[in-house]
Amino acid sequence: MKRITAFITVLFLTFLTACFGNNSAWQEALTTPSEQKPIIKTVIDPSEIEGLEIPEEPIDYYDQFDWYKQNSEYFFPGFTLSKEWIDGKEYYQLLNEEKDVKVIVDKEGNAVVYHNGKSMECEMKALFASTADYTMIYVLDLTNDGKDELVIANGGGGTGVWEGTSDVYDLETFRRYEVYKDKILKELGTRITVEPLEIVKDNYLKCRVTDYKGNEYYGYILVSDDDVSKYSYIPEHFTGHYTIDVDLDRQCLVVSGAIPISPMYASYIGTLHSTLEFNPEAGSFELSDELIVELDQLGG
């Protein structure tokens, strides 16, 4: 997971430096179970989908097509990216023939997912974003029932701030399984305590982190004041920098959250990682007992 994340980061930085100088705002859309109304119907032609705009003009970020196609295995593993025409109009298509999943997207990020003669409308606003924001699509079995799920992962943010979420759907019914990010992050943040110890070389704050199993770790964060008493870790503030994404190697969802030190803004001493496990009775993904603590070291 770290290898893929690092690769994507490098790809985005290279891409942004070469092609873009502006940033676009990113906003996460939340949908409660009562608000979720997936549209399931048999569709032959995408133009039959009410509300789907197949643009007459070139799709936004059209010149990025070749770049995304070249790196599609990191954003859309198993899918083939192509330009398709319907009624003389052009749009993007993502096709996974092995899994019988097709996705079409218009210039506004309105998408339709097809599988087994049914379809579902959804949004993929950052599918071809001009910033580090992203949409990634996976098809794999996360519930360990022998059937594949569709995962649509979205991430975005800025310097020191990042939000990454994943929506998981049953491919046969397009039912969405719950991933209660607020509950997951709150529980993850309470699994450690942080004790500021002293200011060391070049104004770094040394801290001792103790996890809920009693293991101790030491990390460092650059601070602006040498008064140790000013700094603390508040679990309720965990975290302004997190992702819930797919680990393809382990075939599971993984949550990663940065550890903030107050009152520093968007500054973190390290990161907590854990896998998520599916609870079939609740129909949701929940935090597992796993906890991996990674802390920054001097000069890191």
Side-chain angles (χ1 to χ4, degrees), residues 193-198 206-210 233:
T193 59
V194 181
E195 180 185 359
L197 298 176
E198 60 178 329
K206 179 180 179 180
C207 296
R208 176 168 51 225
V209 175
T210 306
Y233 168 67

Side-chain angles (χ1 to χ4, degrees), residues 8 68 71-81 92-96 99 101-105 109 111-114 120 122-128 134-140 142 149-155 165-167 169 171 245-246 248:
I8 292 173
Y68 272 95
N71 299 289
S72 61
E73 66 178 295
Y74 295 98
F75 297 95
F76 325 114
F79 286 85
T80 299
L81 173 63
Y92 285 129
Q93 174 177 283
L94 289 160
L95 178 64
N96 188 324
K99 305 292 187 178
V101 178
K102 180 172 69 173
V103 182
I104 59 170
V105 189
V112 181
V113 179
Y114 301 87
M120 175 183 70
C122 56
E123 292 185 349
M124 298 183 182
K125 295 299 186 183
L127 190 65
F128 299 104
Y134 67 80
T135 293
M136 303 176 76
I137 304 171
Y138 309 88
V139 179
L140 71 167
L142 292 179
E149 283 75 49
L150 171 72
V151 183
I152 302 175
N154 293 284
T165 59
S166 290
D167 292 322
Y169 298 91
L171 261 181
D245 205 347
V246 170
L248 284 176

